[in-house]
CSV table of all heavy atoms in Angstrom, one decimal:
chain,number,residue,atom,x,y,z
A,790,GLY,N,-101.6,8.7,5.8
A,790,GLY,CA,-101.7,9.8,6.6
A,790,GLY,C,-100.4,10.3,7.2
A,790,GLY,O,-100.4,11.1,8.1
A,791,PHE,N,-99.3,9.9,6.6
A,791,PHE,CA,-98.0,10.5,7.0
A,791,PHE,C,-97.6,11.7,6.3
A,791,PHE,O,-97.8,11.8,5.1
A,791,PHE,CB,-96.8,9.4,6.8
A,791,PHE,CG,-97.0,8.3,7.7
A,791,PHE,CD1,-97.4,7.1,7.2
A,791,PHE,CD2,-96.6,8.3,9.1
A,791,PHE,CE1,-97.5,5.9,8.0
A,791,PHE,CE2,-96.7,7.3,9.9
A,791,PHE,CZ,-97.2,6.0,9.4
A,792,ARG,N,-97.0,12.7,7.0
A,792,ARG,CA,-96.4,13.9,6.3
A,792,ARG,C,-94.9,13.7,6.4
A,792,ARG,O,-94.4,13.3,7.4
A,792,ARG,CB,-96.8,15.1,7.1
A,792,ARG,CG,-98.3,15.5,6.9
A,792,ARG,CD,-98.6,16.8,7.6
A,792,ARG,NE,-98.6,16.4,9.1
A,792,ARG,CZ,-99.1,17.1,10.0
A,792,ARG,NH1,-99.7,18.2,9.7
A,792,ARG,NH2,-99.1,16.7,11.3
A,793,THR,N,-94.3,14.0,5.3
A,793,THR,CA,-92.9,13.8,5.2
A,793,THR,C,-92.2,15.0,4.6
A,793,THR,O,-92.9,15.8,3.9
A,793,THR,CB,-92.5,12.6,4.3
A,793,THR,OG1,-93.0,12.8,3.0
A,793,THR,CG2,-93.0,11.3,4.9
A,794,CYS,N,-90.9,15.1,4.8
A,794,CYS,CA,-90.2,16.2,4.2
A,794,CYS,C,-88.7,15.7,4.0
A,794,CYS,O,-88.3,14.7,4.5
A,794,CYS,CB,-90.2,17.5,5.1
A,794,CYS,SG,-89.1,17.4,6.5
A,795,ILE,N,-88.0,16.4,3.2
A,795,ILE,CA,-86.6,16.2,3.0
A,795,ILE,C,-85.8,17.2,3.8
A,795,ILE,O,-86.1,18.4,3.6
A,795,ILE,CB,-86.2,16.2,1.5
A,795,ILE,CG1,-86.9,15.0,0.8
A,795,ILE,CG2,-84.7,16.1,1.4
A,795,ILE,CD1,-86.7,15.0,-0.6
A,796,LEU,N,-84.9,16.8,4.6
A,796,LEU,CA,-84.1,17.7,5.3
A,796,LEU,C,-82.6,17.5,4.8
A,796,LEU,O,-82.0,16.5,5.2
A,796,LEU,CB,-84.2,17.5,6.8
A,796,LEU,CG,-83.4,18.4,7.8
A,796,LEU,CD1,-83.7,19.8,7.5
A,796,LEU,CD2,-83.6,18.0,9.2
A,797,ALA,N,-82.1,18.3,4.0
A,797,ALA,CA,-80.9,18.1,3.3
A,797,ALA,C,-79.8,19.0,3.8
A,797,ALA,O,-80.0,20.2,4.0
A,797,ALA,CB,-81.0,18.3,1.8
A,798,ASN,N,-78.7,18.4,4.1
A,798,ASN,CA,-77.5,19.2,4.6
A,798,ASN,C,-76.7,19.6,3.4
A,798,ASN,O,-75.8,18.9,3.0
A,798,ASN,CB,-76.7,18.4,5.6
A,798,ASN,CG,-75.9,19.2,6.5
A,798,ASN,OD1,-76.3,20.3,6.9
A,798,ASN,ND2,-74.8,18.7,7.0
A,799,THR,N,-77.1,20.7,2.7
A,799,THR,CA,-76.5,21.0,1.4
A,799,THR,C,-75.8,22.4,1.5
A,799,THR,O,-75.9,23.1,2.5
A,799,THR,CB,-77.6,21.1,0.3
A,799,THR,OG1,-78.6,22.0,0.7
A,799,THR,CG2,-78.2,19.8,0.1
A,800,TRP,N,-75.1,22.7,0.4
A,800,TRP,CA,-74.5,24.0,0.3
A,800,TRP,C,-74.8,24.6,-1.1
A,800,TRP,O,-75.2,23.9,-2.0
A,800,TRP,CB,-72.9,23.9,0.5
A,800,TRP,CG,-72.3,22.9,-0.5
A,800,TRP,CD1,-71.8,23.2,-1.7
A,800,TRP,CD2,-72.2,21.5,-0.4
A,800,TRP,NE1,-71.3,22.1,-2.3
A,800,TRP,CE2,-71.6,21.0,-1.5
A,800,TRP,CE3,-72.6,20.6,0.6
A,800,TRP,CZ2,-71.3,19.7,-1.7
A,800,TRP,CZ3,-72.3,19.3,0.4
A,800,TRP,CH2,-71.7,18.8,-0.7
A,801,LEU,N,-74.6,25.9,-1.2
A,801,LEU,CA,-74.9,26.5,-2.5
A,801,LEU,C,-73.8,26.1,-3.4
A,801,LEU,O,-72.6,26.1,-3.1
A,801,LEU,CB,-74.9,28.0,-2.4
A,801,LEU,CG,-76.1,28.6,-1.6
A,801,LEU,CD1,-75.9,30.1,-1.5
A,801,LEU,CD2,-77.4,28.2,-2.2
A,802,ASP,N,-74.1,25.7,-4.6
A,802,ASP,CA,-73.2,25.1,-5.6
A,802,ASP,C,-73.1,25.9,-6.8
A,802,ASP,O,-74.1,26.1,-7.5
A,802,ASP,CB,-73.7,23.6,-5.9
A,802,ASP,CG,-72.7,22.9,-6.7
A,802,ASP,OD1,-71.6,23.4,-7.0
A,802,ASP,OD2,-73.0,21.8,-7.2
A,803,ASP,N,-71.9,26.3,-7.2
A,803,ASP,CA,-71.8,27.0,-8.5
A,803,ASP,C,-70.9,26.2,-9.4
A,803,ASP,O,-70.3,26.7,-10.4
A,803,ASP,CB,-71.2,28.4,-8.3
A,803,ASP,CG,-69.9,28.5,-7.6
A,803,ASP,OD1,-69.4,27.4,-7.2
A,803,ASP,OD2,-69.3,29.6,-7.6
A,804,GLY,N,-70.7,24.9,-9.1
A,804,GLY,CA,-69.9,24.0,-9.9
A,804,GLY,C,-70.6,23.5,-11.1
A,804,GLY,O,-71.8,23.8,-11.4
A,805,GLU,N,-69.9,22.7,-11.9
A,805,GLU,CA,-70.5,22.2,-13.1
A,805,GLU,C,-71.7,21.3,-12.9
A,805,GLU,O,-72.6,21.2,-13.8
A,805,GLU,CB,-69.4,21.4,-13.8
A,805,GLU,CG,-68.3,22.2,-14.4
A,805,GLU,CD,-67.2,21.4,-15.1
A,805,GLU,OE1,-67.5,20.2,-15.5
A,805,GLU,OE2,-66.1,21.9,-15.2
A,806,GLY,N,-71.8,20.6,-11.8
A,806,GLY,CA,-72.9,19.7,-11.5
A,806,GLY,C,-74.2,20.4,-11.0
A,806,GLY,O,-75.2,19.7,-10.7
A,807,ARG,N,-74.2,21.7,-10.9
A,807,ARG,CA,-75.3,22.4,-10.3
A,807,ARG,C,-76.6,22.2,-11.0
A,807,ARG,O,-77.7,22.2,-10.4
A,807,ARG,CB,-75.0,23.9,-10.1
A,807,ARG,CG,-75.0,24.7,-11.4
A,807,ARG,CD,-74.6,26.1,-11.1
A,807,ARG,NE,-74.5,26.9,-12.3
A,807,ARG,CZ,-73.4,27.0,-13.1
A,807,ARG,NH1,-72.3,26.4,-12.7
A,807,ARG,NH2,-73.4,27.7,-14.2
A,808,LEU,N,-76.6,22.2,-12.3
A,808,LEU,CA,-77.9,22.0,-13.1
A,808,LEU,C,-78.5,20.6,-12.8
A,808,LEU,O,-79.7,20.5,-12.6
A,808,LEU,CB,-77.6,22.2,-14.6
A,808,LEU,CG,-77.2,23.6,-14.9
A,808,LEU,CD1,-77.0,23.7,-16.4
A,808,LEU,CD2,-78.3,24.6,-14.5
A,809,ARG,N,-77.7,19.6,-12.8
A,809,ARG,CA,-78.2,18.3,-12.5
A,809,ARG,C,-78.8,18.2,-11.1
A,809,ARG,O,-79.9,17.7,-10.9
A,809,ARG,CB,-77.0,17.3,-12.6
A,809,ARG,CG,-77.4,15.9,-12.4
A,809,ARG,CD,-76.2,15.0,-12.7
A,809,ARG,NE,-76.4,13.7,-12.3
A,809,ARG,CZ,-75.5,12.7,-12.2
A,809,ARG,NH1,-74.3,13.0,-12.4
A,809,ARG,NH2,-75.8,11.5,-11.8
A,810,ARG,N,-78.1,18.8,-10.1
A,810,ARG,CA,-78.6,18.8,-8.7
A,810,ARG,C,-79.9,19.6,-8.7
A,810,ARG,O,-80.9,19.3,-8.0
A,810,ARG,CB,-77.6,19.4,-7.8
A,810,ARG,CG,-78.0,19.4,-6.4
A,810,ARG,CD,-76.9,19.7,-5.4
A,810,ARG,NE,-77.5,20.3,-4.3
A,810,ARG,CZ,-77.3,21.4,-3.8
A,810,ARG,NH1,-76.4,22.2,-4.3
A,810,ARG,NH2,-77.9,21.8,-2.7
A,811,ALA,N,-80.0,20.8,-9.4
A,811,ALA,CA,-81.2,21.6,-9.4
A,811,ALA,C,-82.4,20.9,-9.9
A,811,ALA,O,-83.5,21.0,-9.4
A,811,ALA,CB,-80.9,22.9,-10.2
A,812,ARG,N,-82.1,20.1,-11.0
A,812,ARG,CA,-83.2,19.3,-11.6
A,812,ARG,C,-83.7,18.2,-10.6
A,812,ARG,O,-84.9,18.0,-10.4
A,812,ARG,CB,-82.7,18.6,-12.9
A,812,ARG,CG,-82.8,19.5,-14.0
A,812,ARG,CD,-82.6,18.7,-15.3
A,812,ARG,NE,-81.6,19.4,-16.1
A,812,ARG,CZ,-80.4,18.9,-16.4
A,812,ARG,NH1,-80.1,17.7,-16.1
A,812,ARG,NH2,-79.5,19.7,-17.0
A,813,LEU,N,-82.8,17.6,-9.9
A,813,LEU,CA,-83.2,16.6,-8.9
A,813,LEU,C,-84.0,17.2,-7.8
A,813,LEU,O,-85.0,16.7,-7.4
A,813,LEU,CB,-81.9,15.9,-8.3
A,813,LEU,CG,-82.2,15.0,-7.2
A,813,LEU,CD1,-83.0,13.8,-7.6
A,813,LEU,CD2,-80.8,14.5,-6.6
A,814,LEU,N,-83.5,18.3,-7.3
A,814,LEU,CA,-84.2,19.0,-6.2
A,814,LEU,C,-85.6,19.5,-6.7
A,814,LEU,O,-86.6,19.4,-5.9
A,814,LEU,CB,-83.4,20.2,-5.6
A,814,LEU,CG,-82.1,19.7,-4.9
A,814,LEU,CD1,-81.4,21.0,-4.5
A,814,LEU,CD2,-82.5,18.9,-3.7
A,815,GLY,N,-85.7,19.9,-7.9
A,815,GLY,CA,-87.0,20.3,-8.5
A,815,GLY,C,-88.0,19.2,-8.5
A,815,GLY,O,-89.2,19.3,-8.1
A,816,ARG,N,-87.5,18.0,-8.9
A,816,ARG,CA,-88.4,16.8,-8.9
A,816,ARG,C,-88.8,16.4,-7.5
A,816,ARG,O,-89.9,16.1,-7.2
A,816,ARG,CB,-87.6,15.6,-9.5
A,816,ARG,CG,-87.6,15.7,-11.0
A,816,ARG,CD,-87.1,14.4,-11.6
A,816,ARG,NE,-86.2,14.7,-12.7
A,816,ARG,CZ,-85.0,14.3,-12.9
A,816,ARG,NH1,-84.5,13.4,-12.1
A,816,ARG,NH2,-84.3,14.7,-14.0
A,817,LEU,N,-87.9,16.5,-6.5
A,817,LEU,CA,-88.2,16.1,-5.2
A,817,LEU,C,-89.2,17.1,-4.5
A,817,LEU,O,-90.0,16.7,-3.8
A,817,LEU,CB,-86.9,16.1,-4.3
A,817,LEU,CG,-85.9,15.0,-4.6
A,817,LEU,CD1,-84.6,15.1,-3.9
A,817,LEU,CD2,-86.6,13.6,-4.3
A,818,ARG,N,-89.1,18.4,-4.9
A,818,ARG,CA,-90.0,19.4,-4.4
A,818,ARG,C,-91.5,19.1,-4.8
A,818,ARG,O,-92.4,19.4,-4.1
A,818,ARG,CB,-89.6,20.8,-4.9
A,818,ARG,CG,-88.6,21.4,-4.1
A,818,ARG,CD,-88.4,22.9,-4.4
A,818,ARG,NE,-87.3,23.4,-3.6
A,818,ARG,CZ,-86.1,23.5,-3.9
A,818,ARG,NH1,-85.7,23.0,-5.1
A,818,ARG,NH2,-85.2,24.0,-3.1
A,819,ARG,N,-91.6,18.5,-6.0
A,819,ARG,CA,-93.0,18.1,-6.4
A,819,ARG,C,-93.5,16.9,-5.6
A,819,ARG,O,-94.7,16.7,-5.6
A,819,ARG,CB,-93.0,17.8,-7.9
A,819,ARG,CG,-92.8,19.0,-8.7
A,819,ARG,CD,-93.0,18.7,-10.2
A,819,ARG,NE,-92.1,17.8,-10.8
A,819,ARG,CZ,-90.9,18.1,-11.4
A,819,ARG,NH1,-90.6,19.4,-11.5
A,819,ARG,NH2,-90.1,17.2,-11.9
A,820,GLU,N,-92.7,16.1,-5.0
A,820,GLU,CA,-93.1,14.9,-4.4
A,820,GLU,C,-93.2,15.0,-2.9
A,820,GLU,O,-93.9,14.2,-2.3
A,820,GLU,CB,-92.1,13.7,-4.7
A,820,GLU,CG,-91.9,13.4,-6.1
A,820,GLU,CD,-93.2,12.9,-6.8
A,820,GLU,OE1,-93.9,12.2,-6.1
A,820,GLU,OE2,-93.4,13.2,-8.0
A,821,PHE,N,-92.6,16.0,-2.3
A,821,PHE,CA,-92.6,16.1,-0.8
A,821,PHE,C,-93.2,17.5,-0.4
A,821,PHE,O,-93.0,18.5,-1.1
A,821,PHE,CB,-91.2,16.0,-0.2
A,821,PHE,CG,-90.7,14.6,-0.3
A,821,PHE,CD1,-90.0,14.2,-1.5
A,821,PHE,CD2,-90.8,13.7,0.7
A,821,PHE,CE1,-89.5,12.9,-1.6
A,821,PHE,CE2,-90.3,12.5,0.6
A,821,PHE,CZ,-89.7,12.0,-0.5
A,822,PRO,N,-94.0,17.6,0.7
A,822,PRO,CA,-94.6,18.8,1.1
A,822,PRO,C,-93.5,19.9,1.4
A,822,PRO,O,-93.8,21.1,1.3
A,822,PRO,CB,-95.4,18.5,2.3
A,822,PRO,CG,-95.3,17.0,2.5
A,822,PRO,CD,-94.3,16.5,1.5
A,823,ALA,N,-92.3,19.5,1.8
A,823,ALA,CA,-91.3,20.4,2.2
A,823,ALA,C,-89.9,19.8,1.8
A,823,ALA,O,-89.7,18.6,2.1
A,823,ALA,CB,-91.3,20.8,3.7
A,824,LEU,N,-89.1,20.6,1.2
A,824,LEU,CA,-87.7,20.3,1.0
A,824,LEU,C,-86.9,21.4,1.7
A,824,LEU,O,-86.8,22.5,1.2
A,824,LEU,CB,-87.4,20.2,-0.5
A,824,LEU,CG,-86.0,19.6,-0.8
A,824,LEU,CD1,-86.1,18.8,-2.1
A,824,LEU,CD2,-84.9,20.6,-0.8
A,825,LEU,N,-86.3,21.0,2.8
A,825,LEU,CA,-85.5,22.0,3.6
A,825,LEU,C,-84.0,21.8,3.4
A,825,LEU,O,-83.5,20.8,3.7
A,825,LEU,CB,-85.9,21.8,5.1
A,825,LEU,CG,-87.4,21.8,5.4
A,825,LEU,CD1,-87.6,21.4,6.8
A,825,LEU,CD2,-88.0,23.2,5.1
A,826,GLU,N,-83.4,22.9,2.9
A,826,GLU,CA,-82.0,22.8,2.6
A,826,GLU,C,-81.2,23.7,3.6
A,826,GLU,O,-81.6,24.8,3.8
A,826,GLU,CB,-81.7,23.3,1.2
A,826,GLU,CG,-82.2,22.5,0.1
A,826,GLU,CD,-81.9,23.1,-1.2
A,826,GLU,OE1,-80.7,22.8,-1.7
A,826,GLU,OE2,-82.7,23.8,-1.8
A,827,SER,N,-80.2,23.1,4.2
A,827,SER,CA,-79.5,23.8,5.3
A,827,SER,C,-78.9,25.1,4.8
A,827,SER,O,-78.9,26.1,5.5
A,827,SER,CB,-78.4,22.9,5.8
A,827,SER,OG,-77.5,22.5,4.8
A,828,CYS,N,-78.4,25.1,3.6
A,828,CYS,CA,-77.8,26.3,3.0
A,828,CYS,C,-78.8,27.5,2.9
A,828,CYS,O,-78.5,28.6,3.0
A,828,CYS,CB,-77.1,26.1,1.7
A,828,CYS,SG,-78.2,25.6,0.4
A,829,ARG,N,-80.1,27.2,2.7
A,829,ARG,CA,-81.1,28.2,2.5
A,829,ARG,C,-81.6,28.6,3.9
A,829,ARG,O,-82.2,29.7,4.0
A,829,ARG,CB,-82.2,27.7,1.6
A,829,ARG,CG,-81.6,27.4,0.2
A,829,ARG,CD,-82.7,27.3,-0.8
A,829,ARG,NE,-82.1,26.8,-2.1
A,829,ARG,CZ,-81.4,27.5,-2.9
A,829,ARG,NH1,-81.1,28.7,-2.6
A,829,ARG,NH2,-81.0,27.0,-4.0
A,830,LEU,N,-81.6,27.7,4.9
A,830,LEU,CA,-82.1,28.0,6.2
A,830,LEU,C,-81.0,28.7,7.1
A,830,LEU,O,-81.3,29.3,8.1
A,830,LEU,CB,-82.5,26.7,6.9
A,830,LEU,CG,-83.7,26.0,6.3
A,830,LEU,CD1,-83.9,24.7,7.0
A,830,LEU,CD2,-84.9,26.8,6.3
A,831,GLY,N,-79.7,28.6,6.6
A,831,GLY,CA,-78.7,29.2,7.4
A,831,GLY,C,-78.3,28.4,8.6
A,831,GLY,O,-77.7,28.9,9.6
A,832,MET,N,-78.7,27.1,8.6
A,832,MET,CA,-78.4,26.2,9.7
A,832,MET,C,-77.9,24.9,9.1
A,832,MET,O,-78.3,24.6,7.9
A,832,MET,CB,-79.6,25.9,10.6
A,832,MET,CG,-80.1,27.1,11.3
A,832,MET,SD,-81.6,26.7,12.2
A,832,MET,CE,-82.9,27.2,11.0
A,833,ARG,N,-77.3,24.1,9.8
A,833,ARG,CA,-76.9,22.8,9.3
A,833,ARG,C,-77.2,21.7,10.4
A,833,ARG,O,-77.4,22.0,11.6
A,833,ARG,CB,-75.4,22.7,8.9
A,833,ARG,CG,-74.5,22.9,10.1
A,833,ARG,CD,-73.1,22.9,9.6
A,833,ARG,NE,-72.3,23.1,10.8
A,833,ARG,CZ,-71.0,23.5,10.7
A,833,ARG,NH1,-70.5,23.8,9.6
A,833,ARG,NH2,-70.3,23.6,11.8
A,834,GLN,N,-77.3,20.5,9.9
A,834,GLN,CA,-77.5,19.4,10.8
A,834,GLN,C,-76.2,19.2,11.6
A,834,GLN,O,-75.1,19.3,11.0
A,834,GLN,CB,-77.8,18.1,10.1
A,834,GLN,CG,-79.1,18.2,9.3
A,834,GLN,CD,-79.4,17.0,8.4
A,834,GLN,OE1,-78.8,16.0,8.6
A,834,GLN,NE2,-80.3,17.1,7.5
A,835,PRO,N,-76.2,19.0,12.8
A,835,PRO,CA,-77.2,18.7,13.8
A,835,PRO,C,-77.7,19.8,14.6
A,835,PRO,O,-78.1,19.6,15.8
A,835,PRO,CB,-76.6,17.6,14.6
A,835,PRO,CG,-75.2,18.1,14.8
A,835,PRO,CD,-74.9,18.7,13.4
A,836,GLU,N,-77.7,21.1,14.2
A,836,GLU,CA,-78.2,22.2,15.0
A,836,GLU,C,-79.6,22.0,15.3
A,836,GLU,O,-80.4,21.7,14.4
A,836,GLU,CB,-78.0,23.5,14.2
A,836,GLU,CG,-76.5,23.9,14.0
A,836,GLU,CD,-76.4,25.2,13.3
A,836,GLU,OE1,-77.1,26.1,13.5
A,836,GLU,OE2,-75.5,25.3,12.4
A,837,PRO,N,-80.0,22.2,16.5
A,837,PRO,CA,-81.4,21.9,16.9
A,837,PRO,C,-82.4,22.8,16.2
A,837,PRO,O,-83.5,22.4,15.9
A,837,PRO,CB,-81.4,22.3,18.4
A,837,PRO,CG,-80.0,22.1,18.9
A,837,PRO,CD,-79.2,22.5,17.7
A,838,GLY,N,-82.0,24.0,15.8
A,838,GLY,CA,-82.9,24.9,15.1
A,838,GLY,C,-83.4,24.4,13.7
A,838,GLY,O,-84.6,24.6,13.3
A,839,ILE,N,-82.6,23.6,13.1
A,839,ILE,CA,-83.0,23.0,11.8
A,839,ILE,C,-84.1,22.0,12.0
A,839,ILE,O,-85.1,21.9,11.2
A,839,ILE,CB,-81.8,22.5,11.0
A,839,ILE,CG1,-82.2,22.4,9.5
A,839,ILE,CG2,-81.4,21.1,11.5
A,839,ILE,CD1,-81.0,22.1,8.6
A,840,TYR,N,-84.1,21.3,13.1
A,840,TYR,CA,-85.1,20.3,13.4
A,840,TYR,C,-86.4,21.0,13.8
A,840,TYR,O,-87.5,20.6,13.5
A,840,TYR,CB,-84.7,19.3,14.4
A,840,TYR,CG,-83.4,18.5,13.9
A,840,TYR,CD1,-82.2,18.8,14.5
A,840,TYR,CD2,-83.5,17.6,12.9
A,840,TYR,CE1,-81.1,18.1,14.0
A,840,TYR,CE2,-82.4,17.0,12.4
A,840,TYR,CZ,-81.2,17.2,13.0
A,840,TYR,OH,-80.1,16.5,12.5
A,841,SER,N,-86.3,22.1,14.5
A,841,SER,CA,-87.5,22.9,14.9
A,841,SER,C,-88.1,23.4,13.7
A,841,SER,O,-89.4,23.4,13.6
A,841,SER,CB,-87.1,24.0,15.8
A,841,SER,OG,-86.5,23.5,17.0
A,842,HIS,N,-87.3,23.9,12.7
A,842,HIS,CA,-87.9,24.4,11.4
A,842,HIS,C,-88.6,23.3,10.7
A,842,HIS,O,-89.7,23.5,10.1
A,842,HIS,CB,-86.8,24.9,10.6
A,842,HIS,CG,-87.2,25.7,9.4
A,842,HIS,ND1,-87.6,27.1,9.5
A,842,HIS,CD2,-87.5,25.4,8.2
A,842,HIS,CE1,-88.0,27.5,8.4
A,842,HIS,NE2,-88.0,26.5,7.5
A,843,ALA,N,-88.1,22.1,10.7
A,843,ALA,CA,-88.7,20.9,10.0
A,843,ALA,C,-90.1,20.6,10.7
A,843,ALA,O,-91.1,20.4,10.0
A,843,ALA,CB,-87.8,19.7,10.0
A,844,LEU,N,-90.1,20.6,12.0
A,844,LEU,CA,-91.4,20.4,12.7
A,844,LEU,C,-92.4,21.4,12.3
A,844,LEU,O,-93.6,21.1,12.1
A,844,LEU,CB,-91.1,20.4,14.2
A,844,LEU,CG,-90.4,19.2,14.8
A,844,LEU,CD1,-90.1,19.5,16.3
A,844,LEU,CD2,-91.3,18.0,14.7
A,845,GLN,N,-92.0,22.7,12.3
A,845,GLN,CA,-92.9,23.8,11.9
A,845,GLN,C,-93.4,23.6,10.5
A,845,GLN,O,-94.6,23.8,10.2
A,845,GLN,CB,-92.2,25.1,12.1
A,845,GLN,CG,-93.1,26.3,11.8
A,845,GLN,CD,-92.3,27.6,12.0
A,845,GLN,OE1,-91.1,27.6,12.0
A,845,GLN,NE2,-93.0,28.7,12.1
A,846,ALA,N,-92.5,23.2,9.5
A,846,ALA,CA,-92.9,23.0,8.2
A,846,ALA,C,-93.9,21.9,8.0
A,846,ALA,O,-94.8,22.0,7.2
A,846,ALA,CB,-91.7,22.8,7.3
A,847,LEU,N,-93.8,20.9,8.8
A,847,LEU,CA,-94.7,19.7,8.8
A,847,LEU,C,-95.9,19.9,9.7
A,847,LEU,O,-96.8,19.1,9.7
A,847,LEU,CB,-94.0,18.5,9.2
A,847,LEU,CG,-92.9,18.0,8.2
A,847,LEU,CD1,-92.1,16.8,8.8
A,847,LEU,CD2,-93.6,17.6,6.9
A,848,GLN,N,-95.9,21.0,10.4
A,848,GLN,CA,-97.0,21.3,11.4
A,848,GLN,C,-97.1,20.1,12.3
A,848,GLN,O,-98.2,19.5,12.5
A,848,GLN,CB,-98.3,21.6,10.7
A,848,GLN,CG,-98.3,22.8,9.8
A,848,GLN,CD,-99.5,23.0,9.0
A,848,GLN,OE1,-100.4,22.2,9.0
A,848,GLN,NE2,-99.6,24.2,8.4
A,849,ALA,N,-96.0,19.7,12.9
A,849,ALA,CA,-95.9,18.5,13.8
A,849,ALA,C,-95.3,18.9,15.1
A,849,ALA,O,-94.6,19.9,15.3
A,849,ALA,CB,-95.1,17.4,13.1
A,850,GLN,N,-95.6,18.1,16.1
A,850,GLN,CA,-95.0,18.2,17.4
A,850,GLN,C,-93.9,17.1,17.6
A,850,GLN,O,-94.0,16.1,17.0
A,850,GLN,CB,-96.1,18.0,18.5
A,850,GLN,CG,-97.2,19.1,18.5
A,850,GLN,CD,-96.7,20.5,18.7
A,850,GLN,OE1,-95.8,20.7,19.6
A,850,GLN,NE2,-97.1,21.4,17.9
A,851,PRO,N,-92.9,17.4,18.4
A,851,PRO,CA,-91.8,16.4,18.6
A,851,PRO,C,-92.3,15.0,18.9
A,851,PRO,O,-91.7,14.0,18.4
A,851,PRO,CB,-91.0,17.0,19.7
A,851,PRO,CG,-91.2,18.4,19.7
A,851,PRO,CD,-92.7,18.6,19.2
A,852,HIS,N,-93.3,14.9,19.7
A,852,HIS,CA,-93.8,13.5,20.1
A,852,HIS,C,-94.5,12.8,18.9
A,852,HIS,O,-94.7,11.6,19.0
A,852,HIS,CB,-94.7,13.6,21.3
A,852,HIS,CG,-96.1,14.2,21.0
A,852,HIS,ND1,-96.3,15.6,21.0
A,852,HIS,CD2,-97.3,13.6,20.7
A,852,HIS,CE1,-97.5,15.8,20.7
A,852,HIS,NE2,-98.2,14.7,20.5
A,853,GLN,N,-94.7,13.5,17.8
A,853,GLN,CA,-95.4,12.9,16.7
A,853,GLN,C,-94.4,12.3,15.7
A,853,GLN,O,-94.8,11.6,14.7
A,853,GLN,CB,-96.3,13.9,16.0
A,853,GLN,CG,-97.4,14.4,16.8
A,853,GLN,CD,-98.2,15.5,16.1
A,853,GLN,OE1,-97.6,16.5,15.7
A,853,GLN,NE2,-99.5,15.3,15.9
A,854,VAL,N,-93.1,12.6,15.9
A,854,VAL,CA,-92.2,12.1,14.9
A,854,VAL,C,-91.2,11.0,15.4
A,854,VAL,O,-91.1,10.8,16.6
A,854,VAL,CB,-91.3,13.3,14.3
A,854,VAL,CG1,-92.2,14.2,13.6
A,854,VAL,CG2,-90.5,14.0,15.4
């Protein structure tokens, strides 16, 4: 009965390794209800807003995590 997500402190990558990383993230998206990337949210860890977004994505309250 646990809900989980991945909260990744990432950046947009246009380097040679981008396809490998994209494949990995694609696999992870199939396994977790939410994969939250800082570069796509416009926030990075440890900004409080990114954690609020994770709580919202998981439909959870702070006291539940």
